[in-house]
Amino acid sequence: MSDERPEIAGLTIGILGGTGDQGKGLARRFALAGHRVLIGSRDAARAAQAAATLGEDLPVRGAANAEVAAGADVVIVAVPWDGHRAILESLRAELAGKIVVDCVNPLGFDKQGAFALEVPEGSAAQQAAAVLTGSRVVAAFHHVSAVSLLDPAVAELDLDVLVLGDDRAATDTVQELASRIPGVRGVYGGRLRNARQVEAFTANLISINRRYKAHAGLRITDV
Amino acid sequence: MSDERPEIAGLTIGILGGTGDQGKGLARRFALAGHRVLIGSRDAARAAQAAATLGEDLPVRGAANAEVAAGADVVIVAVPWDGHRAILESLRAELAGKIVVDCVNPLGFDKQGAFALEVPEGSAAQQAAAVLTGSRVVAAFHHVSAVSLLDPAVAELDLDVLVLGDDRAATDTVQELASRIPGVRGVYGGRLRNARQVEAFTANLISINRRYKAHAGLRITDV
């Protein structure tokens, strides 16, 4: 790790697709860590409703995706894979210059469980980078259990968040952000070109969860 | 985990490509656990030499690949990705009916580090399954550090070995085998169709090792 940890205390976190469980769960944990959080949705009213379910005592507000993208310092992309490219294309201007954290897992499901989908750009994160040429795209938060994030009984999570990207200052910032979630370490995981297997590994975690009746996560040893 | 752990004490382990560091390291650890081990190479003399370097007190013998494939109960494929398909095609008959454990990582390297190569079948393990239609193909041991396996100062490793496959009895056996290495757990990691990201993740571990000056491994939490 570098000795200087980036100062992130004052950052406002935006979450596109923040009305899903993953988005809401991350919103809850970042708000608990003291960040102002903006939950985004295509429908501003639904976003406000999702923010309200997290409790009035947390600094979480809902708004339309474009407003969230414009108003946040760091923007997390937690939309379904289905609308991933379209939503990013629609927010290019608002996201310019910002750290954009893609946590989308392109997965399919059949009766044998989950499997990785082919992505023309290689991975969801690389697709985001291809669309958002003016943003600083980072991949992270793929393996965090939404159930654990949302569960008030879970004081500490037990996993490392792998943070991938080609912009060192941006990955450092996102590692620090990940480490704000109790029990979580943000660990550098490589360049964006190696994001595909991190996204796809979520399919393995789903298999592991099924076999062991667990909410499995990863830890990196010797780091 | 299933309550009945498979009985593996008497199994002879063959290692194709056993003269490389990964193969020699696995040979050493399985021999230390009491297994008879056969190290294979195209060149029987080189195989014998590799076996000798592991010490005369260990039950390790070198032989030509075909002899190893025929003589072992479980055969580990630790050959370079380059000759992977050809060597398996040449050993189809010897490997029929056996558990074949593929631990090959199809990786490329450039000045930015390691990256995953495209494999027509999806992964090295799926290529092995496509070639060895009469064998029980399992994927495992991708992330084990050869350096740690070979280092007499390392009494215990600190990682889980992900074991993937579509044959439950075979994956159970290989999980048990992995757990014979001190400090290692064999954890079921999904079906063969999800092997690609486990192989490719080795590129991320290489990036992590470089950044943190580590011999990084994975642990699965909540399992």
Side-chain angles (χ1 to χ4, degrees):
Chain A
M1 301 237 184
S2 67
D3 294 337
E4 276 179 48
R5 301 178 68 162
E7 180 50 53
I8 63 158
L11 295 183
T12 295
I13 313 299
I15 304 183
L16 305 177
T19 58
D21 281 346
Q22 182 81 353
K24 266 197 300 190
L26 289 171
R28 177 171 175 274
R29 296 288 172 170
F30 291 133
L32 285 170
H35 289 282
R36 217 160 60 91
V37 179
L38 303 175
I39 283 184
S41 169
R42 260 173 297 193
D43 177 352
R46 274 194 66 208
Q49 201 173 22
T53 64
L54 294 176
E56 288 192 355
D57 47 331
L58 289 180
V60 182
R61 198 164 63 75
N65 279 326
E67 190 186 329
V68 167
D73 300 306
V74 172
V75 179
I76 296 174
V77 182
V79 302
W81 168 239
D82 220 5
H84 184 259
R85 173 181 266 282
I87 203 169
L88 295 180
E89 281 174 344
S90 75
L91 296 172
R92 252 196 210 116
E94 291 85 348
L95 294 172
K98 300 192 174 181
I99 296 177
V100 175
V101 187
D102 203 295
C103 64
V104 173
N105 298 310
L107 298 181
F109 294 87
D110 61 20
K111 62 184 178 180
Q112 295 192 331
F115 57 95
L117 297 174
E118 288 296 319
V119 177
E121 294 85 356
S123 62
Q126 286 165 291
Q127 181 177 91
V131 172
L132 304 173
T133 48
S135 302
R136 305 162 73 192
V137 175
V138 170
F141 301 111
H142 306 89
H143 305 148
V144 188
S145 154
V147 174
S148 303
L149 289 172
L150 284 169
D151 188 346
V154 177
E156 292 215 348
L157 279 76
D158 182 12
L159 82 163
D160 292 336
V161 162
L162 292 168
V163 178
L164 294 89
D166 302 334
D167 174 331
R168 176 68 187 259
T171 57
D172 281 354
T173 296
V174 177
Q175 282 177 244
E176 190 64 24
L177 192 61
S179 299
R180 285 290 192 112
I181 303 174
V184 171
R185 287 193 311 177
V187 174
Y188 175 71
R191 290 177 168 269
L192 271 197
R193 67 176 181 179
N194 282 318
R196 178 198 169 119
Q197 50 266 29
V198 175
E199 297 172 2
F201 193 78
T202 306
N204 301 73
L205 287 172
I206 291 170
S207 303
I208 293 168
N209 287 343
R210 189 187 279 199
R211 171 68 62 92
Y212 296 98
K213 319 272 180 246
H215 295 296
L218 288 187
R219 286 285 189 196
I220 306 294
T221 59
D222 199 34
V223 162
Chain B
M1 300 239 184
S2 67
D3 295 337
E4 277 180 47
R5 300 178 68 161
E7 181 48 54
I8 63 159
L11 295 182
T12 295
I13 314 299
I15 304 184
L16 305 177
T19 58
D21 281 345
Q22 182 81 351
K24 267 197 298 189
L26 288 171
R28 178 171 176 273
R29 296 287 172 169
F30 291 133
L32 284 170
H35 290 282
R36 215 161 62 90
V37 179
L38 303 175
I39 281 184
S41 170
R42 261 173 297 194
D43 176 354
R46 274 197 65 208
Q49 201 173 20
T53 64
L54 293 176
E56 287 192 357
D57 46 332
L58 289 180
V60 181
R61 197 165 63 76
N65 279 325
E67 191 186 328
V68 167
D73 300 304
V74 172
V75 180
I76 295 173
V77 183
V79 301
W81 168 239
D82 219 5
H84 184 259
R85 173 181 268 279
I87 203 170
L88 295 180
E89 281 174 345
S90 75
L91 297 171
R92 253 197 209 114
E94 291 85 348
L95 294 172
K98 300 192 174 180
I99 295 177
V100 175
V101 187
D102 203 295
C103 64
V104 174
N105 297 311
L107 297 182
F109 294 86
D110 61 21
K111 62 182 176 178
Q112 295 194 331
F115 58 94
L117 297 174
E118 289 296 319
V119 178
E121 295 84 356
S123 62
Q126 286 164 292
Q127 181 177 92
V131 172
L132 304 172
T133 49
S135 302
R136 305 161 73 192
V137 174
V138 170
F141 300 111
H142 305 89
H143 305 149
V144 188
S145 152
V147 174
S148 302
L149 289 170
L150 284 169
D151 187 347
V154 177
E156 294 214 348
L157 279 75
D158 182 12
L159 83 164
D160 293 336
V161 163
L162 292 167
V163 178
L164 293 90
D166 301 336
D167 175 329
R168 176 69 188 256
T171 57
D172 282 354
T173 297
V174 178
Q175 283 177 243
E176 190 65 24
L177 191 62
S179 300
R180 285 293 191 109
I181 303 174
V184 170
R185 290 192 308 177
V187 173
Y188 174 72
R191 292 177 166 269
L192 272 197
R193 68 175 180 177
N194 283 318
R196 177 198 169 119
Q197 51 264 29
V198 175
E199 297 172 0
F201 193 77
T202 305
N204 301 74
L205 288 172
I206 291 169
S207 303
I208 293 168
N209 287 343
R210 187 185 283 199
R211 171 68 63 93
Y212 296 99
K213 319 273 179 244
H215 295 297
L218 287 186
R219 287 284 189 196
I220 306 293
T221 59
D222 200 34
V223 162

